[in-house]
Amino acid sequence: MALLEAFNVVAGYGETEILHGVSITVNTGEVVTIIGPNGCGKSTLMKAIVGLVRVRAGSVHFRGVDISDQDPEQTVRIGLCYVPQTDNVFPSMTIRENLEIGAFVRRDDYQFRIDEMFELFPDLRRSARLKAGTLSGGQRQMLAIARALMLDPVLLLLDEPSAGLAPALVAGVFKRIRDINSTGVSILLVEQNARESLRISDRGYVLSGGVNQLQDTGPALLDNPEVGRVYLGG
Amino acid sequence: MNLVSSRPRNLARPSRRYLRRIGLRMSPSRISALLAAGLLILGFLPFVKLGLVVNGLILGSVIALGAIGLTLVYGILKLGNFAHGDYMALGAYVAFFIVDGVLPRVGIEGAGLGPFTFGFPVLIALPLAAAVVALGAIALDALIYRRLRDRAASTAILMMASLGVAISIRGLVQLIWSGETQHYPRESRQVFHLPMDVRIPPDGLFVAVLAVILVAGVYGLLTYTKMGKAMRATSDNPTLALVSGINTRQVVWWTWGIGGALAAIAGVLLAVVQAQLLPIMGWKFLIPLFAAVILGGIGNPYGALIGALIVGVSMELSTQWINPSYKPAVAFAIMIGVLLARPRGIFGDTQ
Amino acid sequence: MDISGVIDYLIGFAIMAMIYAVFALGLNVHWGFTGLFNIGIAGFFALGAYTAALLTSPPPDPDQFEDFIFGGNLANQGLLDLGVDAWFFLGLAAAALVCGLVALIIGTITLRLNDDYLSIATLGIAESVRFFFLNEKWAANGSKGLYRIPKFLGDVVAPENYDYLYVVVALVILLILFAAVQRAVRSPWGRVLRAIREDEVTTAASGKNVFHFKLQSFVFGAMIMGIGGALFAHHVRFLSPLTFDPLLATFVIWAMLMVGGSGNNLGAVLGAFVVWGVWAGTQFLPGVFSDPSFRLLMIGVIIVAIMLLRPGGLLGEWRRIVASRPASAAVRDSTDPG
């Protein structure tokens, strides 16, 4: 069943239109990756889905409900949690406070969820009282993901989680993403690091110039010679 | 596999941890800067009149109440609010209206409550004026600033609009209460005499104690309540706050509410300390307010508190050597000095 | 009032409006073309006026002024007896220089930082200049002020005809400044300024030193304001720190630029005439309309309303009306003048 269905989405900033009609689907339980060159609209698509950027034409449906015009404040309440590529933590707040903000719309006692996050990312527990701004890049990325997980999202949207990380850490991040997926969270991933991300993905899309270029299963895209030449560096 | 690089951090000693929690992270350069400042102050101590330091702390408390609101608005709404001083003046005049025009009709009058020059009516008027200005600030946001934000107007446009608001408020205050000096009903009182020629006016003590209580209240609100955390989160990273489901509209209301209420109280206290009200009193207070905010780092309420005390004490101490009417210029000089040396404030990152 | 009285009034009005137009032009360089937020016009106004006045006034009679010691007395030095009153122009140039220097210092400190700091700093400058002239009696006679500032060609023109002469002087200087600003903003340099105003990040990315351009613009605008202050000094011929109240020396000028349209030089001049006309005209009205507090309120309301409804000003930017040219294109094809 299609969990998320973006159809012919047109969006952009000010007078510049970046997406000229992009369609993607995420099914329940899947990991889906979007790859493409810089400026092709990958991040804009994510922002359009969560409501940070207005959808000018086309539609976004989540579990059959039209969310094209919803604010981020509303989309987060129905289980869409988004991790931006940069500036994805609250630097002057402690790690615990960051997680509390992640649970902002929860009405139950979310302490157990914080404990679960500390189980998942033990390093965070050790530095729970530190300010997020003092964390290293890898820890910060983990905190950003943990913050988004506080709500038990149905669909997690990750914008380039491996960007700016030391190569040694990258494989670990993708393993974590796979782990999170195995707990039942569907994942939509935008990545520069095409090879690693396609490897863990059920399906993938290639965007170029604000339109769909290719779509296939993850392994098939990995084997596609054209994708290999352009995006996987030979 | 350990994917999180474990950078050595041995900063977890309790005292430092506490400082860090309240926003004062320590680094060697910061510690040495503070040490230098401390030594400078200690070195000066034999030459300064302690009485001036006391006056400075009282003035600093008033600045702090204004500056905390200003820095919250600055951090959360990205607006350097030029009307903040005039919110103070408005608060002082609303209280004056209540004390002078409303309460006498229901038989509440008086001055010289206990050791203080002002009377019971001022104590009644204080929270009322705070509420009026808080609601006024929220209404002005809905009327003006929200529309500008929705249009994604630049900060300069927002500040320009706040300048217009400042001018309008002052015009309105002058129109209603005239440009002449007014004052709350007062009776003269003895000052407290302490050793070393320190004299504390009881009013000043009242101001300082009330400021401490209010600052502690703001600290508690920001640190422990859900709304306070949401405010800090919005100040830190508005986009991430939005995608975390924080109702930014409510955050904005609370910010203006707290900022407006504190400004009104600061205005009343300023009128009490100066023993007079003038429509221009708020506008003239802008430079010390901004100096305190910049000194403490924009958006950092705890920094603004420290900054306000530094600015207040410096302004009063300067009168020992230079003409007292240069006090605001001293605040300005401090601000320029900070901009030159540590543009992100004494507690901010040097980068 | 007879006809000649009306004409005299109109001449006086035109001089003030043209002086204000000079300030509006200076502010247009700052805000209209570069997006610099100067709310301390009064500071440059005062510096320009005092510089010109002090350089040209004779040293005061010790019997009249106990503390005041300064006075450049250029007017009576006889050094520059070139057939015209060269001292007057020297005073204008010195006013521009002093304001430019102060702008250079303040700009160097604040323009590297976030935009907001400049505005706060200009506010501080305006207040500090006022405190200085208020407290330092030796410099300019304190709150009693400077009076009988020399007239331009004062020994040639009969006192009753001075305004007729001065309106021509003001007009010529306004035209020269207008042409200079117009030329500057149409040059590649001016196009970079507008590009900075529209999108600083992109402009910086295209290799322009944004800081230098902003600093140049800030100094340029401040120098124009200095000339405006000097013109004012030789017209009103009396200065005191109270003359430079933020209302009449800063806010009114903002209202003028807002009404005329920021980024539009002709609009700035027109705005000066319109706002000064309304200001001067309403003083004859009865009741609340001539109340200074009411006018203060109205100026604030006008500024807020224009920000809400037409942030580009009532006339808007000429460029946008005639032909629109993307700011990024302007950056690309402009050449760096410095």
Side-chain angles (χ1 to χ4, degrees):
Chain A
M1 179 203 137
L3 181 65
L4 178 83
E5 197 161 16
F7 178 71
N8 262 340
V9 171
V10 176
Y13 307 93
E15 287 169 20
T16 352
E17 187 178 292
I18 294 184
L19 300 177
H20 311 294
V22 173
S23 304
I24 62 152
T25 311
V26 180
N27 296 313
T28 307
E30 275 187 326
V31 176
V32 174
T33 291
I34 304 172
I35 61 172
N38 266 333
C40 70
K42 293 171 299 194
S43 296
T44 311
L45 178 62
M46 283 220 164
K47 290 181 186 164
I49 291 170
V50 296
L52 279 173
V53 171
R54 205 173 64 81
V55 177
R56 295 178 180 175
S59 65
V60 180
H61 282 81
F62 184 66
R63 292 169 143 177
V65 180
D66 188 349
I67 58 163
S68 318
D69 289 329
Q70 292 200 354
D71 293 334
E73 194 193 307
Q74 293 165 306
T75 55
V76 70
R77 284 167 204 265
I78 56 174
L80 276 165
C81 291
Y82 164 66
V83 180
Q85 179 188 345
T86 54
D87 297 326
N88 47 22
V89 297
F90 299 104
S92 83
M93 304 177 80
T94 66
I95 286 168
R96 178 176 286 278
E97 284 173 339
N98 266 271
L99 295 178
E100 287 170 359
I101 292 293
F104 191 79
V105 299
R106 283 185 90 115
R107 301 211 168 266
D108 57 347
D109 180 14
Y110 48 77
Q111 182 54 46
F112 76 95
R113 189 67 182 158
I114 292 183
D115 292 335
E116 283 174 16
M117 287 303 114
F118 285 160
E119 306 264 302
L120 194 60
F121 306 107
D123 281 39
L124 294 184
R125 185 201 302 276
R126 247 171 282 145
S127 35
R129 282 167 164 276
L130 282 184
K131 284 187 188 279
T134 65
L135 296 180
S136 68
Q139 286 173 316
R140 201 183 279 227
Q141 202 58 258
M142 290 303 107
L143 175 60
I145 295 174
R147 182 202 57 81
L149 287 175
M150 283 300 294
L151 286 182
D152 291 312
V154 179
L155 176 65
L156 185 63
L157 298 102
L158 300 172
D159 194 347
E160 304 213 15
S162 76
L165 292 190
L169 301 176
V170 170
V173 169
F174 286 113
K175 183 179 170 298
R176 288 302 171 98
I177 292 171
R178 197 73 246 193
D179 292 347
I180 292 164
N181 176 245
S182 68
T183 64
V185 182
S186 310
I187 291 173
L188 178 61
L189 194 60
V190 157
E191 260 300 338
Q192 290 280 1
N193 206 326
R195 189 185 298 277
E196 297 281 351
S197 57
L198 285 175
R199 199 167 278 156
I200 62 156
S201 300
D202 298 302
R203 290 186 305 112
Y205 290 84
V206 180
L207 293 195
S208 175
V211 292
N212 288 60
Q213 195 78 8
L214 270 177
Q215 65 180 80
D216 213 327
T217 63
L221 282 177
L222 273 175
D223 293 339
N224 185 317
E226 198 191 341
V227 173
R229 189 170 48 79
V230 180
Y231 302 111
L232 305 177
Chain B
M1 171 181 219
N2 178 18
L3 58 104
V4 179
S5 79
S6 43
R7 214 198 280 175
R9 295 196 176 278
N10 52 356
L11 300 170
R13 292 219 310 272
S15 60
R16 288 195 180 172
R17 185 189 297 160
Y18 174 73
L19 285 172
R20 217 165 33 231
R21 270 187 69 180
I22 61 171
L24 314 180
R25 266 185 298 130
M26 291 290 131
S27 71
S29 78
R30 239 165 272 172
I31 291 170
S32 53
L34 282 181
L35 270 182
L39 281 178
L40 202 68
I41 291 170
L42 277 181
F44 263 112
L45 263 187
F47 306 104
V48 302
K49 296 191 184 115
L50 269 182
L52 289 179
V53 176
V54 170
N55 289 349
L57 290 174
I58 293 167
L59 179 65
S61 318
V62 178
I63 298 175
L65 291 181
I68 287 172
L70 183 61
T71 207
L72 283 176
V73 171
Y74 217 147
I76 291 169
L77 298 159
K78 313 298 169 216
L79 162 65
N81 180 21
F82 284 120
H84 210 77
D86 291 282
Y87 286 3
M88 283 174 62
L90 184 64
Y93 273 93
V94 169
F96 175 73
F97 172 71
I98 294 169
V99 169
D100 186 68
V102 178
L103 293 179
R105 298 193 182 197
V106 294
I108 302 175
E109 272 179 285
L113 179 74
F116 306 120
T117 63
F118 54 86
F120 193 55
V122 171
L123 294 183
I124 300 176
L126 203 56
L128 293 176
V132 168
V133 176
L135 291 177
I138 293 170
L140 282 171
D141 183 78
L143 214 62
I144 299 168
Y145 303 117
R146 199 178 88 207
R147 291 167 193 229
L148 293 175
R149 282 197 304 274
D150 287 350
R151 247 200 351 234
S154 67
T155 48
I157 299 267
L158 282 166
M159 285 172 96
M160 190 68 224
S162 80
L163 182 65
V165 170
I167 299 170
S168 308
I169 291 178
R170 185 137 64 86
L172 199 65
V173 166
Q174 277 183 25
L175 204 58
I176 300 174
W177 290 285
S178 92
E180 307 293 311
T181 29
Q182 314 271 11
H183 54 84
Y184 302 133
R186 50 183 282 121
E187 271 173 28
S188 55
R189 282 287 182 271
Q190 290 286 316
V191 295
F192 298 140
H193 284 271
L194 292 173
M196 293 185 70
D197 201 26
V198 175
R199 279 168 297 182
I200 303 181
D203 287 1
L205 210 57
F206 173 80
V207 166
V209 169
L210 186 58
V212 167
I213 293 170
L214 288 171
V215 169
V218 172
Y219 173 79
L221 182 106
L222 288 176
T223 315
Y224 301 112
T225 69
K226 200 171 176 182
M227 183 46 70
K229 285 173 189 168
M231 285 170 68
R232 282 160 59 214
T234 310
S235 173
D236 254 19
N237 190 336
T239 311
L240 197 61
L242 209 59
V243 299
S244 301
I246 289 173
N247 183 337
T248 40
R249 186 166 295 181
Q250 266 180 32
V251 167
V252 167
W253 286 351
W254 273 88
T255 308
W256 279 117
I258 294 169
L262 289 179
I265 293 171
V268 175
L269 297 183
L270 184 65
V272 166
V273 172
Q274 296 184 338
Q276 65 173 19
L277 295 98
L278 264 178
I280 202 159
M281 63 194 259
W283 178 260
K284 290 205 174 240
F285 221 62
L286 263 189
I287 293 172
L289 289 184
F290 273 106
V293 166
I294 290 174
L295 200 58
I298 288 172
N300 181 349
Y302 318 121
L305 169 66
I306 310 271
L309 294 178
I310 294 176
V311 169
V313 171
S314 311
M315 281 169 75
E316 287 295 335
L317 274 187
S318 73
T319 62
Q320 197 173 335
W321 298 283
I322 59 177
N323 191 322
S325 52
Y326 277 124
K327 275 200 262 179
V330 169
F332 179 59
I334 292 175
M335 190 175 92
I336 291 293
V338 172
L339 288 183
L340 274 174
R342 301 185 71 89
R344 293 185 178 213
I346 39 178
F347 309 120
D349 304 312
T350 28
Q351 180 41 56
Chain C
M1 214 189 314
D2 58 13
I3 277 294
S4 74
V6 171
I7 289 175
D8 283 350
Y9 180 80
L10 287 179
I11 293 282
F13 167 81
I15 295 173
M16 272 315 288
M18 285 193 283
I19 291 170
Y20 270 119
V22 169
F23 285 105
L25 278 178
L27 185 61
N28 203 16
V29 171
H30 286 167
W31 170 259
F33 293 109
T34 328
L36 301 177
F37 193 27
N38 176 359
I39 58 165
I41 304 166
F44 298 111
F45 197 154
L47 274 177
Y50 271 110
T51 304
L54 288 171
L55 279 179
T56 54
S57 299
D61 184 344
D63 297 335
Q64 287 175 329
F65 305 94
E66 311 123 48
D67 305 312
F68 175 39
I69 54 166
F70 200 73
N73 199 18
L74 277 181
N76 299 310
Q77 291 284 345
L79 291 174
L80 293 152
D81 202 2
L82 305 173
V84 289
D85 257 340
W87 53 264
F88 172 79
F89 298 102
L90 268 180
L92 288 195
L97 270 180
V98 167
C99 286
L101 197 67
V102 170
L104 187 68
I105 296 167
I106 284 297
T108 308
I109 295 171
T110 58
L111 283 173
R112 281 180 204 280
L113 310 168
N114 197 329
D115 279 356
D116 315 347
Y117 293 118
L118 176 76
S119 50
I120 302 162
T122 54
L123 177 69
I125 278 292
E127 292 293 306
S128 303
V129 166
R130 222 151 60 109
F131 292 136
F132 177 80
F133 285 116
L134 201 56
N135 293 319
E136 305 303 321
K137 292 202 175 67
W138 58 269
N141 206 29
S143 60
K144 285 185 223 135
L146 295 177
Y147 34 92
R148 298 193 22 209
I149 295 160
K151 292 174 179 172
F152 173 56
L153 290 179
D155 42 358
V156 181
V157 181
E160 65 270 22
N161 291 334
Y162 181 57
D163 274 7
Y164 296 108
L165 168 73
Y166 206 72
V167 75
V168 177
V169 173
L171 180 66
V172 169
I173 289 173
L174 174 62
L175 286 178
I176 292 172
L177 290 176
F178 184 86
V181 174
Q182 196 74 351
R183 217 183 137 85
V185 298
R186 291 215 173 135
S187 70
W189 181 76
R191 284 208 294 276
V192 177
L193 293 190
R194 286 202 299 273
I196 290 172
R197 181 194 62 187
E198 298 301 330
D199 188 345
E200 196 174 320
V201 180
T202 315
T203 314
S206 71
K208 304 291 169 200
N209 187 331
V210 169
F211 167 70
H212 280 161
F213 279 95
K214 281 177 159 180
L215 188 60
Q216 287 157 10
S217 161
F218 188 55
V219 171
F220 181 42
M223 289 175 79
I224 294 174
M225 291 175 180
I227 294 176
L231 277 180
F232 178 85
H234 291 291
H235 169 57
V236 176
R237 304 184 55 223
F238 168 74
L239 299 177
S240 94
L242 296 180
T243 315
F244 305 103
D245 175 81
L247 169 62
L248 274 172
T250 297
F251 301 153
V252 165
I253 297 162
W254 268 102
M256 288 166 177
L257 185 65
M258 292 287 108
V259 166
S262 48
N264 178 345
N265 288 327
L266 205 57
V269 174
L270 215 62
F273 273 83
V274 170
V275 170
W276 190 243
V278 173
W279 187 271
T282 48
Q283 69 191 6
F284 299 118
L285 291 177
V288 75
F289 295 104
S290 55
D291 186 328
S293 311
F294 179 75
R295 294 149 160 230
L296 190 62
L297 174 63
M298 280 303 114
I299 287 207
V301 170
I302 286 172
I303 290 177
V304 173
I306 290 175
M307 284 298 113
L308 276 176
L309 305 173
R310 291 199 60 124
L314 288 191
L315 279 185
E317 189 167 343
W318 192 240
R319 182 176 66 97
R320 288 190 187 133
I321 302 169
V322 183
S324 100
R325 189 187 155 84
S328 51
V331 181
R332 270 199 303 279
D333 62 19
S334 63
T335 50
D336 192 334

